[in-house]
Amino acid sequence: MNSKPLIIAHRGASRYAPENTIPAFKLAEEMKADFIELDIHMTKDGELVVLHPFLIRNMKIKELTLKEIQSIDVGILLSFNHKSTYIPTLKEVLKETNLKVNIEIKGNERIYPGIVDKLLKVIEKYPIERFIFSSFDFNILRELKKKREGAVVEGLCFSPYGKSFPSFLSGVNPYFVFVNKRMVDRMHSRKLTVKPYTVNNPFIMKRFIKMGVDGIFTDIPDVLRKVIESQKH
C-alpha cells in the first residue's frame, strides 16, 4: 500500500478545463498528478473515444461514427473559454500526455462487442505498468485480466458494503461518502487498495490521507497535492 495517496485527476483537471479532453489532461500533468482518469466508449466504426455519456445524453455513442462525435464542440458545451475543443480518441490522449492512466471501461461486451480486444490493441505499444483498468462491470475486467498478463484491474462501486469482490481485483474504488477507516483497514487486510471518488473538499482529503487510502480521485489535483504536502509537516 502507498505511504501517500496517488493523485488521480478525475477526467483530467476537470474543474479547470472541459472534462475528458486534451486540455484537461495536459493541465493535470502540469499540476503533477500521478494519474489521469478517463472514460472510454466505442464508436460505430470501432474507435475508442474518451468521454462521459452525459455530454451527449440523447445520443447513443455506438450509433455515431468518430467523425460525427468529433464534430461536437465540447468546449462550448462545458465552457466558452475552451471553444473548438473536441472529444479525443484514446490513441490521441496517450500520445499527448506522459502520465499514467486509469482507464474506466464504460459499458460491456454486449453494448460494445470487441471493446476489450480493441483496447488491448490500442495500448499494446505501451508498458502495461502505465495503466490501471476499472469498471463497474467486473466481468469485463475478468476478461481483460485473462487476455493481458500483468494488467491491474480495480472494481468501481457505489457502496462497498455487502458487495463481493472477486480475487482477480487489485483494488476497489468506492464513492467517497461510504469510505471510513474500518472499511479501508478491512480492504487492506484482503490485499485490496482503496481509492475513493470523487473528492474535492480539502477537509475530506485530509481525513482520507489519515485513513491510509491508496489514491484519491479529484477534479482539482493541484489542491490535493497541496493538501498532501501540508500533511508532511
Side-chain angles (χ1 to χ4, degrees), residues 120-188:
L120 294 177
K121 182 68 175 176
V122 169
I123 68 165
E124 66 180 353
K125 67 178 183 180
Y126 300 98
I128 195 64
E129 293 78 16
R130 185 181 179 187
F131 304 101
I132 290 174
F133 305 94
S134 62
S135 178
F136 285 95
D137 187 319
F138 295 173
N139 289 326
I140 203 165
L141 296 177
R142 179 184 286 107
E143 182 180 354
L144 191 151
K145 184 79 173 176
K146 286 180 180 178
K147 291 185 173 183
R148 185 61 168 87
E149 184 179 355
V152 174
V153 296
E154 297 180 352
L156 280 158
C157 62
F158 188 64
S159 167
Y161 299 103
K163 195 168 184 65
S164 176
F165 296 102
S167 60
F168 62 82
L169 293 178
S170 298
V172 296
N173 304 336
Y175 184 43
F176 80 93
V177 298
F178 295 102
V179 176
N180 57 46
K181 184 68 164 67
R182 185 177 178 182
M183 187 274 285
V184 172
D185 290 345
R186 187 170 73 252
M187 293 302 171
H188 282 174

Side-chain angles (χ1 to χ4, degrees), residues 8-135:
I8 308 166
H10 178 246
R11 305 176 193 166
S14 53
R15 177 70 62 87
Y16 311 108
E19 65 175 43
N20 275 326
T21 64
I22 300 295
F25 298 135
K26 286 189 171 182
L27 190 55
E29 189 164 15
E30 291 175 18
M31 292 177 174
K32 299 181 180 179
D34 297 302
F35 274 80
I36 54 172
E37 183 269 351
L38 53 80
D39 309 284
I40 62 165
H41 295 262
M42 193 160 70
T43 65
K44 182 179 180 179
D45 45 351
E47 292 291 337
L48 296 185
V49 288
V50 176
L51 79 159
H52 196 276
F54 89 87
L55 283 175
I56 50 175
R57 210 181 279 272
N58 298 320
M59 306 181 201
K60 290 185 177 180
I61 298 163
K62 67 178 183 179
E63 295 176 359
L64 299 174
T65 65
L66 177 62
K67 184 176 180 181
E68 289 170 332
I69 283 178
Q70 291 195 324
S71 69
I72 301 168
D73 190 338
V74 292
I76 289 178
L77 286 176
L78 295 174
S79 170
F80 288 105
N81 295 325
H82 292 85
K83 186 178 179 181
S84 301
T85 301
Y86 65 91
I87 294 168
T89 64
L90 179 59
K91 291 177 185 176
E92 289 170 326
V93 173
L94 297 181
K95 288 178 182 177
E96 291 291 336
T97 177
N98 295 312
L99 284 178
K100 292 185 175 182
V101 187
N102 186 124
I103 299 176
E104 180 182 343
I105 305 168
K106 293 290 190 181
N108 51 41
E109 287 282 343
R110 179 178 55 81
I111 298 171
Y112 299 123
I115 190 172
V116 170
D117 289 337
K118 173 65 72 169
L119 173 57
L120 294 177
K121 182 68 175 176
V122 169
I123 68 165
E124 66 180 353
K125 67 178 183 180
Y126 300 98
I128 195 64
E129 293 78 16
R130 185 181 179 187
F131 304 101
I132 290 174
F133 305 94
S134 62
S135 178

